[in-house]
Amino acid sequence: MRAFVEREGYAARVANMESSRSGFFLDDLCLIRYLEAREGDVDKAQEMLRKTIEWRESKGIGRYLEDPSILEIVRNESSTAKVYVPPYRSKLGHGVLIMVPANEKSRNHETNMINLVYQLERACAAALKPMDKIVLLVWYKGYSLFNAPPIKTTLEALHTIQDHFPQRLFRAYAIDAPFLFVSTFNLISPFMTQTTREKVCFVSSNTADFTNQLSELFDMNDIPSFLGGTSSWVFNVDEYMRQ
């Protein structure tokens, strides 16, 4: 691993970028993710890292998990359980992020993005090294024009994940996605990297294939009943914010 990140002086060239203000530390796993995202091109990986650190510093993301003002925004945005990190990992140690778009009650672009970044940070922190990746479970039952995010928010979310959380996504399950979302996906897919597109799986929750896929990754006793599991755990925003 170390030999890989030292190619063409990559590790040495980016070492001075590390910043405690950004809450972003350049260990070998991080350097590999950026190098893989730029297909081994050291110059492009270095530039991608520079932009991420500048973005994190400008947004104050290093403080997201402890800043009272950020936590209050997250509490308000998360109160409907529209996106959260559950108290379990995959069998391989992936962090998990569950989204239920029908629970969306906010149309505020800025606070939605703050909440998304917080949840991504929390999911990544939950992943066990060296797995270092997350599984995204998005349940689309009840998804409609009334709760669909603006295209501006959708595109910024996509760019945030691809540009500033590269190679973090192990797999994304779009569960019971209606035609409305499929249309949106087709609209934004040109903005996706091929790697991202290949990680998105459209599945139906009432099929054996989906249950088999999920049981390969998870203990079904952890999975909520609305996704076919047997867990009795229920999201509570007060408990969630205390963790």
Side-chain angles (χ1 to χ4, degrees):
M1 179 187 293
R2 191 63 192 170
F4 184 64
V5 299
E6 286 180 347
R7 58 187 294 187
E8 298 180 40
Y10 174 47
R13 288 165 60 179
V14 301
N16 64 349
M17 291 185 181
E18 189 167 276
S19 164
S20 59
R21 288 183 302 159
S22 68
F24 195 63
F25 302 100
L26 307 181
D27 59 16
D28 286 356
L29 289 172
C30 172
L31 298 183
I32 287 171
R33 287 197 303 272
Y34 279 79
L35 198 56
E36 288 179 343
R38 289 298 178 257
E39 299 180 340
D41 188 307
V42 170
D43 290 332
K44 290 181 179 180
Q46 181 178 353
E47 178 65 8
M48 190 182 193
L49 266 170
R50 182 188 65 77
K51 289 182 177 179
T52 288
I53 291 172
E54 288 180 352
W55 171 77
R56 292 180 68 91
E57 289 185 346
S58 70
K59 301 287 186 181
I61 291 170
R63 306 188 308 272
Y64 263 38
L65 298 182
E66 57 187 28
D67 185 322
S69 62
I70 294 296
L71 295 178
E72 185 59 27
I73 289 172
V74 172
R75 174 184 291 275
N76 291 335
E77 288 288 340
S78 300
S79 61
T80 60
K82 66 181 181 182
V83 52
Y84 58 91
V85 179
Y88 54 83
R89 302 179 182 89
S90 78
K91 293 177 181 178
L92 299 176
H94 304 103
V96 183
L97 193 59
I98 291 180
M99 293 184 175
V100 186
N103 290 344
E104 176 64 82
K105 304 301 180 195
S106 169
R107 305 291 289 179
N108 186 302
H109 173 77
E110 295 301 327
T111 56
N112 263 310
M113 288 307 304
I114 287 172
N115 184 48
L116 175 65
V117 171
Y118 170 90
Q119 305 295 353
L120 286 168
E121 288 282 288
R122 187 161 171 167
C124 290
L128 295 179
K129 293 185 177 181
M131 182 52 60
D132 224 25
K133 295 182 183 293
I134 65 174
V135 176
L136 182 59
L137 302 173
V138 190
W139 190 42
Y140 281 99
K141 184 176 180 180
Y143 183 80
S144 70
L145 286 173
F146 297 103
N147 47 51
I151 193 66
K152 173 185 177 181
T153 303
T154 299
L155 286 173
E156 185 167 340
L158 174 63
H159 287 308
T160 295
I161 292 170
Q162 291 189 151
D163 296 344
H164 304 306
F165 294 85
Q167 302 297 312
R168 283 289 199 178
L169 184 63
F170 176 74
R171 194 166 299 150
Y173 289 99
I175 306 160
D176 299 332
F179 177 76
L180 175 62
F181 174 74
V182 175
S183 298
T184 302
F185 181 84
N186 291 335
L187 181 66
I188 67 172
S189 60
F191 299 97
M192 293 182 179
T193 64
Q194 181 177 345
T195 299
T196 300
R197 283 195 299 270
E198 290 174 350
K199 292 178 179 178
V200 179
C201 305
F202 286 84
V203 293
S204 175
S205 62
N206 60 2
T207 64
D209 180 58
F210 172 65
T211 303
N212 291 337
Q213 287 187 59
L214 215 57
S215 62
E216 287 180 2
L217 270 178
F218 296 100
D219 181 337
M220 294 305 286
N221 291 323
D222 289 332
I223 298 297
S225 57
F226 63 81
L227 294 179
T230 57
S231 174
S232 60
W233 182 82
V234 177
F235 177 85
N236 177 285
V237 70
D238 293 323
E239 293 179 2
Y240 188 67
M241 298 308 296
R242 285 196 295 267
Q243 294 171 0

Tab-separated table of all heavy atoms in Angstrom, residues 108-144:
chain	number	residue	atom	x	y	z
A	108	ASN	N	-35.150	23.681	1.974
A	108	ASN	CA	-34.032	24.600	2.130
A	108	ASN	C	-32.758	23.932	1.614
A	108	ASN	O	-32.269	22.967	2.199
A	108	ASN	CB	-33.887	24.996	3.604
A	108	ASN	CG	-32.843	26.069	3.816
A	108	ASN	OD1	-31.680	25.897	3.463
A	108	ASN	ND2	-33.251	27.186	4.396
A	109	HIS	N	-32.217	24.474	0.544
A	109	HIS	CA	-31.046	23.869	-0.084
A	109	HIS	C	-29.855	23.829	0.863
A	109	HIS	O	-29.191	22.789	1.006
A	109	HIS	CB	-30.685	24.655	-1.346
A	109	HIS	CG	-29.394	24.232	-1.983
A	109	HIS	ND1	-29.276	23.085	-2.735
A	109	HIS	CD2	-28.141	24.805	-1.951
A	109	HIS	CE1	-28.024	22.963	-3.153
A	109	HIS	NE2	-27.326	23.982	-2.695
A	110	GLU	N	-29.566	24.942	1.532
A	110	GLU	CA	-28.372	25.022	2.367
A	110	GLU	C	-28.426	24.061	3.541
A	110	GLU	O	-27.459	23.344	3.819
A	110	GLU	CB	-28.177	26.462	2.871
A	110	GLU	CG	-27.882	27.475	1.781
A	110	GLU	CD	-26.622	27.127	0.991
A	110	GLU	OE1	-25.680	26.566	1.589
A	110	GLU	OE2	-26.574	27.425	-0.212
A	111	THR	N	-29.559	24.023	4.245
A	111	THR	CA	-29.634	23.145	5.412
A	111	THR	C	-29.707	21.679	4.994
A	111	THR	O	-29.211	20.802	5.702
A	111	THR	CB	-30.825	23.505	6.312
A	111	THR	OG1	-32.049	23.457	5.552
A	111	THR	CG2	-30.649	24.898	6.905
A	112	ASN	N	-30.289	21.396	3.851
A	112	ASN	CA	-30.291	20.019	3.337
A	112	ASN	C	-28.861	19.555	3.043
A	112	ASN	O	-28.493	18.413	3.327
A	112	ASN	CB	-31.144	19.923	2.073
A	112	ASN	CG	-32.544	19.427	2.368
A	112	ASN	OD1	-32.737	18.415	3.033
A	112	ASN	ND2	-33.546	20.141	1.881
A	113	MET	N	-28.046	20.424	2.474
A	113	MET	CA	-26.672	20.045	2.154
A	113	MET	C	-25.832	19.900	3.427
A	113	MET	O	-24.992	19.001	3.523
A	113	MET	CB	-26.042	21.072	1.213
A	113	MET	CG	-26.594	21.029	-0.213
A	113	MET	SD	-26.521	19.370	-0.963
A	113	MET	CE	-24.780	18.988	-0.803
A	114	ILE	N	-26.053	20.774	4.402
A	114	ILE	CA	-25.348	20.630	5.677
A	114	ILE	C	-25.681	19.286	6.309
A	114	ILE	O	-24.802	18.559	6.780
A	114	ILE	CB	-25.712	21.792	6.631
A	114	ILE	CG1	-25.049	23.085	6.157
A	114	ILE	CG2	-25.307	21.469	8.069
A	114	ILE	CD1	-25.497	24.322	6.902
A	115	ASN	N	-26.957	18.926	6.289
A	115	ASN	CA	-27.379	17.655	6.865
A	115	ASN	C	-26.767	16.480	6.111
A	115	ASN	O	-26.277	15.512	6.725
A	115	ASN	CB	-28.906	17.557	6.845
A	115	ASN	CG	-29.414	16.298	7.524
A	115	ASN	OD1	-29.010	15.956	8.629
A	115	ASN	ND2	-30.309	15.590	6.858
A	116	LEU	N	-26.756	16.542	4.794
A	116	LEU	CA	-26.185	15.451	4.008
A	116	LEU	C	-24.704	15.259	4.329
A	116	LEU	O	-24.252	14.127	4.537
A	116	LEU	CB	-26.357	15.728	2.515
A	116	LEU	CG	-25.675	14.702	1.592
A	116	LEU	CD1	-26.309	13.325	1.748
A	116	LEU	CD2	-25.711	15.155	0.139
A	117	VAL	N	-23.950	16.359	4.378
A	117	VAL	CA	-22.514	16.251	4.652
A	117	VAL	C	-22.289	15.695	6.058
A	117	VAL	O	-21.413	14.841	6.266
A	117	VAL	CB	-21.816	17.608	4.463
A	117	VAL	CG1	-20.371	17.547	4.951
A	117	VAL	CG2	-21.855	18.020	2.995
A	118	TYR	N	-23.066	16.161	7.018
A	118	TYR	CA	-22.960	15.612	8.385
A	118	TYR	C	-23.180	14.103	8.377
A	118	TYR	O	-22.416	13.343	8.991
A	118	TYR	CB	-23.985	16.285	9.300
A	118	TYR	CG	-24.114	15.621	10.649
A	118	TYR	CD1	-23.328	16.019	11.725
A	118	TYR	CD2	-25.027	14.579	10.851
A	118	TYR	CE1	-23.443	15.396	12.963
A	118	TYR	CE2	-25.138	13.948	12.077
A	118	TYR	CZ	-24.347	14.362	13.135
A	118	TYR	OH	-24.459	13.729	14.351
A	119	GLN	N	-24.231	13.657	7.690
A	119	GLN	CA	-24.554	12.226	7.677
A	119	GLN	C	-23.468	11.429	6.949
A	119	GLN	O	-23.125	10.312	7.361
A	119	GLN	CB	-25.919	11.990	7.025
A	119	GLN	CG	-27.075	12.776	7.630
A	119	GLN	CD	-27.406	12.417	9.070
A	119	GLN	OE1	-26.860	11.461	9.626
A	119	GLN	NE2	-28.306	13.167	9.684
A	120	LEU	N	-22.912	11.991	5.882
A	120	LEU	CA	-21.817	11.325	5.185
A	120	LEU	C	-20.588	11.207	6.088
A	120	LEU	O	-19.939	10.160	6.137
A	120	LEU	CB	-21.454	12.086	3.910
A	120	LEU	CG	-22.432	11.961	2.733
A	120	LEU	CD1	-22.093	12.989	1.659
A	120	LEU	CD2	-22.396	10.554	2.137
A	121	GLU	N	-20.277	12.283	6.806
A	121	GLU	CA	-19.155	12.246	7.741
A	121	GLU	C	-19.382	11.172	8.795
A	121	GLU	O	-18.476	10.415	9.148
A	121	GLU	CB	-19.002	13.615	8.419
A	121	GLU	CG	-18.464	14.695	7.522
A	121	GLU	CD	-16.963	14.582	7.334
A	121	GLU	OE1	-16.202	14.865	8.277
A	121	GLU	OE2	-16.547	14.195	6.228
A	122	ARG	N	-20.599	11.102	9.291
A	122	ARG	CA	-20.915	10.132	10.353
A	122	ARG	C	-20.856	8.700	9.827
A	122	ARG	O	-20.355	7.799	10.503
A	122	ARG	CB	-22.299	10.460	10.927
A	122	ARG	CG	-22.686	9.647	12.135
A	122	ARG	CD	-23.794	10.314	12.906
A	122	ARG	NE	-24.324	9.442	13.942
A	122	ARG	CZ	-25.133	9.842	14.926
A	122	ARG	NH1	-25.489	11.124	15.005
A	122	ARG	NH2	-25.573	8.985	15.831
A	123	ALA	N	-21.359	8.488	8.621
A	123	ALA	CA	-21.323	7.146	8.022
A	123	ALA	C	-19.890	6.707	7.752
A	123	ALA	O	-19.526	5.557	7.997
A	123	ALA	CB	-22.142	7.120	6.730
A	124	CYS	N	-19.060	7.621	7.258
A	124	CYS	CA	-17.658	7.289	6.988
A	124	CYS	C	-16.926	6.987	8.287
A	124	CYS	O	-16.083	6.078	8.340
A	124	CYS	CB	-16.977	8.434	6.244
A	124	CYS	SG	-17.538	8.646	4.531
A	125	ALA	N	-17.232	7.745	9.336
A	125	ALA	CA	-16.594	7.512	10.632
A	125	ALA	C	-16.989	6.152	11.204
A	125	ALA	O	-16.228	5.541	11.954
A	125	ALA	CB	-16.966	8.622	11.609
A	126	ALA	N	-18.188	5.672	10.840
A	126	ALA	CA	-18.672	4.386	11.347
A	126	ALA	C	-18.028	3.201	10.632
A	126	ALA	O	-18.031	2.083	11.153
A	126	ALA	CB	-20.192	4.311	11.205
A	127	ALA	N	-17.508	3.424	9.433
A	127	ALA	CA	-16.907	2.330	8.660
A	127	ALA	C	-15.614	1.858	9.307
A	127	ALA	O	-14.812	2.664	9.770
A	127	ALA	CB	-16.641	2.791	7.229
A	128	LEU	N	-15.436	0.558	9.340
A	128	LEU	CA	-14.218	-0.002	9.915
A	128	LEU	C	-13.091	0.016	8.874
A	128	LEU	O	-13.301	-0.314	7.712
A	128	LEU	CB	-14.461	-1.446	10.366
A	128	LEU	CG	-15.456	-1.650	11.511
A	128	LEU	CD1	-15.585	-3.132	11.816
A	128	LEU	CD2	-15.027	-0.883	12.756
A	129	LYS	N	-11.916	0.403	9.289
A	129	LYS	CA	-10.758	0.318	8.398
A	129	LYS	C	-10.273	-1.131	8.387
A	129	LYS	O	-10.361	-1.826	9.394
A	129	LYS	CB	-9.656	1.252	8.877
A	129	LYS	CG	-10.035	2.725	8.743
A	129	LYS	CD	-8.886	3.638	9.116
A	129	LYS	CE	-9.282	5.099	8.901
A	129	LYS	NZ	-8.187	6.029	9.220
A	130	PRO	N	-9.777	-1.629	7.251
A	130	PRO	CA	-9.497	-0.872	6.026
A	130	PRO	C	-10.665	-0.824	5.030
A	130	PRO	O	-10.472	-0.423	3.893
A	130	PRO	CB	-8.337	-1.652	5.422
A	130	PRO	CG	-8.638	-3.077	5.780
A	130	PRO	CD	-9.239	-3.014	7.159
A	131	MET	N	-11.880	-1.227	5.464
A	131	MET	CA	-13.014	-1.201	4.529
A	131	MET	C	-13.269	0.224	4.053
A	131	MET	O	-13.311	0.513	2.869
A	131	MET	CB	-14.255	-1.776	5.209
A	131	MET	CG	-15.480	-1.833	4.295
A	131	MET	SD	-15.154	-2.648	2.736
A	131	MET	CE	-14.651	-4.268	3.296
A	132	ASP	N	-13.483	1.162	5.008
A	132	ASP	CA	-13.463	2.592	4.699
A	132	ASP	C	-14.537	3.039	3.709
A	132	ASP	O	-14.395	4.087	3.091
A	132	ASP	CB	-12.078	2.962	4.153
A	132	ASP	CG	-11.557	4.255	4.770
A	132	ASP	OD1	-11.994	4.581	5.876
A	132	ASP	OD2	-10.716	4.912	4.143
A	133	LYS	N	-15.584	2.226	3.500
A	133	LYS	CA	-16.620	2.574	2.523
A	133	LYS	C	-18.000	2.484	3.162
A	133	LYS	O	-18.156	1.974	4.282
A	133	LYS	CB	-16.539	1.664	1.296
A	133	LYS	CG	-15.251	1.830	0.486
A	133	LYS	CD	-15.241	0.943	-0.741
A	133	LYS	CE	-13.925	1.050	-1.496
A	133	LYS	NZ	-13.717	2.361	-2.105
A	134	ILE	N	-18.997	2.984	2.445
A	134	ILE	CA	-20.361	2.977	2.971
A	134	ILE	C	-21.317	2.334	1.975
A	134	ILE	O	-21.070	2.314	0.766
A	134	ILE	CB	-20.840	4.395	3.335
A	134	ILE	CG1	-20.944	5.283	2.079
A	134	ILE	CG2	-19.922	5.032	4.362
A	134	ILE	CD1	-21.554	6.650	2.357
A	135	VAL	N	-22.403	1.806	2.524
A	135	VAL	CA	-23.505	1.286	1.723
A	135	VAL	C	-24.689	2.235	1.899
A	135	VAL	O	-25.042	2.607	3.027
A	135	VAL	CB	-23.909	-0.134	2.164
A	135	VAL	CG1	-25.137	-0.609	1.376
A	135	VAL	CG2	-22.748	-1.100	1.964
A	136	LEU	N	-25.288	2.624	0.802
A	136	LEU	CA	-26.417	3.545	0.810
A	136	LEU	C	-27.696	2.769	0.493
A	136	LEU	O	-27.782	2.088	-0.527
A	136	LEU	CB	-26.185	4.640	-0.228
A	136	LEU	CG	-27.220	5.748	-0.381
A	136	LEU	CD1	-27.406	6.503	0.924
A	136	LEU	CD2	-26.788	6.712	-1.495
A	137	LEU	N	-28.674	2.845	1.404
A	137	LEU	CA	-29.978	2.207	1.209
A	137	LEU	C	-31.025	3.303	1.091
A	137	LEU	O	-31.305	4.023	2.067
A	137	LEU	CB	-30.313	1.292	2.393
A	137	LEU	CG	-29.329	0.157	2.705
A	137	LEU	CD1	-29.711	-0.536	4.006
A	137	LEU	CD2	-29.271	-0.843	1.561
A	138	VAL	N	-31.606	3.462	-0.098
A	138	VAL	CA	-32.586	4.531	-0.332
A	138	VAL	C	-33.934	3.898	-0.657
A	138	VAL	O	-34.084	3.233	-1.686
A	138	VAL	CB	-32.154	5.458	-1.491
A	138	VAL	CG1	-33.058	6.681	-1.541
A	138	VAL	CG2	-30.701	5.880	-1.335
A	139	TRP	N	-34.899	4.096	0.225
A	139	TRP	CA	-36.235	3.511	0.060
A	139	TRP	C	-37.163	4.570	-0.522
A	139	TRP	O	-37.447	5.587	0.117
A	139	TRP	CB	-36.761	3.030	1.405
A	139	TRP	CG	-38.009	2.209	1.316
A	139	TRP	CD1	-38.299	1.244	0.410
A	139	TRP	CD2	-39.142	2.276	2.193
A	139	TRP	NE1	-39.526	0.691	0.657
A	139	TRP	CE2	-40.067	1.300	1.751
A	139	TRP	CE3	-39.452	3.042	3.309
A	139	TRP	CZ2	-41.293	1.095	2.388
A	139	TRP	CZ3	-40.662	2.839	3.945
A	139	TRP	CH2	-41.569	1.881	3.487
A	140	TYR	N	-37.668	4.316	-1.721
A	140	TYR	CA	-38.413	5.333	-2.456
A	140	TYR	C	-39.933	5.221	-2.343
A	140	TYR	O	-40.643	5.937	-3.053
A	140	TYR	CB	-38.009	5.303	-3.936
A	140	TYR	CG	-36.703	6.004	-4.182
A	140	TYR	CD1	-35.513	5.288	-4.299
A	140	TYR	CD2	-36.644	7.388	-4.270
A	140	TYR	CE1	-34.309	5.935	-4.516
A	140	TYR	CE2	-35.444	8.046	-4.486
A	140	TYR	CZ	-34.285	7.317	-4.610
A	140	TYR	OH	-33.096	7.975	-4.816
A	141	LYS	N	-40.439	4.380	-1.471
A	141	LYS	CA	-41.887	4.304	-1.319
A	141	LYS	C	-42.428	5.677	-0.900
A	141	LYS	O	-41.910	6.315	0.019
A	141	LYS	CB	-42.273	3.271	-0.269
A	141	LYS	CG	-43.787	3.103	-0.153
A	141	LYS	CD	-44.168	1.994	0.819
A	141	LYS	CE	-45.684	1.847	0.901
A	141	LYS	NZ	-46.091	0.778	1.842
A	142	GLY	N	-43.469	6.146	-1.599
A	142	GLY	CA	-44.055	7.441	-1.291
A	142	GLY	C	-43.355	8.624	-1.930
A	142	GLY	O	-43.753	9.775	-1.734
A	143	TYR	N	-42.321	8.366	-2.725
A	143	TYR	CA	-41.589	9.443	-3.389
A	143	TYR	C	-42.480	10.108	-4.428
A	143	TYR	O	-43.162	9.442	-5.215
A	143	TYR	CB	-40.355	8.846	-4.061
A	143	TYR	CG	-39.438	9.835	-4.747
A	143	TYR	CD1	-38.532	10.595	-4.023
A	143	TYR	CD2	-39.447	9.977	-6.131
A	143	TYR	CE1	-37.666	11.475	-4.650
A	143	TYR	CE2	-38.590	10.851	-6.769
A	143	TYR	CZ	-37.699	11.597	-6.025
A	143	TYR	OH	-36.839	12.466	-6.661
A	144	SER	N	-42.494	11.442	-4.437
A	144	SER	CA	-43.355	12.168	-5.368
A	144	SER	C	-42.779	13.554	-5.625
A	144	SER	O	-41.752	13.938	-5.034
A	144	SER	CB	-44.766	12.314	-4.782
A	144	SER	OG	-44.751	13.223	-3.687
